[in-house]
Amino acid sequence: MTEYFNEMFDGGKVRQPYNGLDGWMREMPSELRAMKQAEAEALFRRIGITFAVYGEGGDPDRLIPFDMFPRVFTQPEWRKLERGIKQRARALNAFLLDVYGRGEIVRAGRIPARLVYQNDAYERAVSGFIPPRGIYSHIVGVDLVRTGPDQFYVLEDNCRTPSGVSYMLENREIMMRMFPQLFRENRIEPVDGYSDALRRTLASVAPTKCEGEPTVAILTPGHFNSAYYEHSFLADLMGVELVEGPDLFCEGGFCWMRTTEGPKKLDVIYRRIDDAFLDPLCFRPDSMLGIPGLMDVYRSGGVSICSAPGAGVADDKAIYTFVPEMVRFYLGEEPLLENVPTWQCAKKDDCKYVLENLSELVVKEVHGSGGYGMLVGPKSTKEQIENFRHKIEDNPENYIAQPTLALSTTPTFVEEGVAPRHVDLRPYCLVGEKVELVPGGLTRVALTEGSLVVNSSQGGGVKDTWVLAE
C-alpha cells in the first residue's frame, strides 16, 4: 500500500506549521462546521464565483467546492519554493526569447528542433520579434506537487493565461470573514497585494511608443468563457477596463478602445484569449473575438500583449522535460525544483516502456489541460487502459507518461468529519521589471477519496493557502 506524506501529521504528532489549527479543528462542533460551510457556499454564490463545464448537460456554471481547512507552509518551505519558481520563470522566458530569435539552445543540440519549430504552439508570426524587456510570459503558473517533507516536484508550467488566481484571493477573503480569530492567532503572510503587483508588472512592459502612464485593459472572450468571473474580478481589483474584441480597433499604428468620450489609446493588453483568436488577419480568419490588425500594431511597438503570442511553446508537455536543461543553459545554475520523471512516447524505447506499464503510469496528451485527455493507470479499468493503449499506438507523439506520484495529503472537511485528501499547488509568478510572487497560491484538492485528479472540471475543490510569517 502506498504511503502518502500527510502535511499535518507525522507519526501521530502535529507538524509545526499546523500547531495553530489542531485545536481549532478538534473544538469545532459539527453543527458549526456545517453552518460555516453553508455560509461559504452562499458567499461564493452571491459574489458569483463560478466556473463553466460544457458538454455534460444542465447548467454549465458550477460553484467550485471550497474546503475550509487551510493548507499551511512555513517561511523556510516557502522561500525554497519561491527561489525555484522564480528561477524557472526566468529560464522559460529566456527560452522563449531564444527560440523566436537565434535558437541557440536548438543549435547546441540541447532540445530537438522538431519539438520547437514543428510545435502547434510555435507562432511564426512573432519570429524575430523582441517584446518589451524581452519577456514573453508575464504570468507564469507553476503546478507543484509534494511527496515528502522536503520533496517538491513541478508537474507542469502554464505560460499563456494561467487561471485560478481569483480563487486564491477570494479563498483568503472568505476565510478572514468567517474565521477572523484564526488570523489574529496566526501570523499569515497576506496575498491581497497580487492585484497591485500584476498592475505594476503589466505597466512595466509598456510598448516603446507609449508616452506617460500606460493604459491597461483585460481582453476577455466574453461572459460565456469559463473564467469570465476571474477576468472581471481582476479588472475591478486593478481599476482597469474589461474589454472584448469589438470594443477595440487598430488605426495609425496604435490600438484604440471605444469609449463614450471617443477613442482612447490602449498601451497594454492582458489577454485572456488564445493566440488563434487574437487577430483574424494573422491567425484564424473566422475569429470574432480578436482585433483585425492587432499583430501589426504589436510588432511595430504600438501595443504590448501579455502574455505574448507564442508563449505557449514553453509550456507544451513535450518541452516540459527540457526545462531543467534550460535552467542550466541560460542561467548557468542547477535547477532548484525537480521535474517529475517523464517518458516521451515519441521515443521508441520510451513508448515501449509506457505501453508495457500503462496500469502503473499517468499518461497525458501533450497539448491537454484541465484533467482531460489523461489516463491515471492505477485508478483505471482494464477497458479504459486498453482504449488508451490504442490511442497511444495510433499517435505516440501526442502523449507523455509519468509515474503515479504519491501526492501529499492535507486535512479536509468531509461529511464524516476530517479526512486526508490529495492536493497540489499553483503559485503565480509575475515577470516584468522584476520577478515576484505573492506568498501563497491556489491549492487544489481532490475531494473524492483516493482520487489524484484535483482539477475543478473533474470534481476537485480549492483551499486557502497560508504562508506563516516569521
Side-chain angles (χ1 to χ4, degrees), residues 131-364:
R133 297 187 185 274
I135 299 164
Y136 273 82
S137 182
H138 307 84
I139 302 97
V140 182
V142 179
D143 290 350
L144 298 160
V145 294
R146 188 176 194 174
T147 59
D150 301 306
Q151 286 80 47
F152 293 90
Y153 292 92
V154 176
L155 203 56
E156 63 182 55
D157 305 288
N158 300 274
C159 295
R160 296 174 236 203
T161 55
S163 61
V165 75
S166 59
Y167 298 131
M168 174 188 83
L169 298 170
E170 289 288 23
N171 291 346
R172 176 62 54 85
E173 183 70 26
I174 285 173
M175 282 296 290
M176 291 178 72
R177 188 182 301 193
M178 294 197 307
F179 302 106
Q181 80 282 2
L182 281 180
F183 292 85
R184 288 193 294 266
E185 296 166 0
N186 299 275
R187 295 184 61 223
I188 303 155
E189 295 278 10
V191 296
D192 57 4
Y194 178 83
S195 58
D196 288 340
L198 177 58
R199 175 82 190 249
R200 263 196 321 271
T201 297
L202 296 173
S204 75
V205 292
T208 51
K209 293 181 183 177
C210 175
E211 297 175 356
E213 185 70 20
T215 301
V216 178
I218 296 179
L219 175 62
T220 176
H223 66 280
F224 290 113
N225 183 263
S226 61
Y228 181 73
Y229 167 77
E230 178 159 300
H231 307 164
S232 59
F233 176 79
L234 289 174
D236 284 344
L237 281 183
M238 289 195 291
V240 304
E241 294 294 334
L242 180 67
V243 297
E244 297 182 30
D247 299 325
L248 308 178
F249 68 95
C250 294
E251 190 176 281
F254 294 101
C255 184
W256 302 87
M257 183 165 50
R258 304 180 203 274
T259 77
T260 54
E261 298 175 353
K264 182 177 182 180
K265 186 162 71 74
L266 188 56
D267 300 300
V268 181
I269 298 174
Y270 175 24
R271 54 87 175 225
R272 297 296 297 258
I273 69 176
D274 294 340
D275 289 0
F277 301 98
L278 274 174
D279 181 350
L281 298 183
C282 184
F283 302 118
R284 280 184 57 162
D286 60 343
S287 172
M288 303 294 288
L289 303 174
I291 305 97
L294 180 64
M295 289 303 294
D296 282 342
V297 175
Y298 173 61
R299 286 179 296 220
S300 67
V303 70
S304 290
I305 304 174
C306 305
S307 285
V313 72
D315 63 20
D316 182 273
K317 290 182 177 66
I319 292 290
Y320 156 89
T321 58
F322 296 95
V323 177
E325 194 58 38
M326 294 178 201
V327 173
R328 298 184 187 100
F329 186 80
Y330 297 115
L331 308 182
E333 302 169 358
E334 280 301 307
L336 298 172
L337 291 173
E338 292 183 57
N339 269 15
V340 178
T342 302
W343 292 273
Q344 298 178 57
C345 294
K347 295 180 178 179
K348 189 174 180 180
D349 289 345
D350 282 14
C351 191
K352 182 174 182 289
Y353 177 84
V354 170
L355 292 172
E356 289 173 354
N357 296 276
L358 276 177
S359 62
E360 301 169 13
L361 301 172
V362 175
V363 187
K364 302 177 183 178

Side-chain angles (χ1 to χ4, degrees), residues 396-418:
E397 291 191 356
N398 194 42
Y399 296 94
I400 56 116
Q402 297 170 330
T404 308
L405 292 180
L407 268 64
S408 65
T409 64
T410 62
T412 301
F413 287 119
V414 295
E415 284 189 20
E416 304 78 29
V418 178

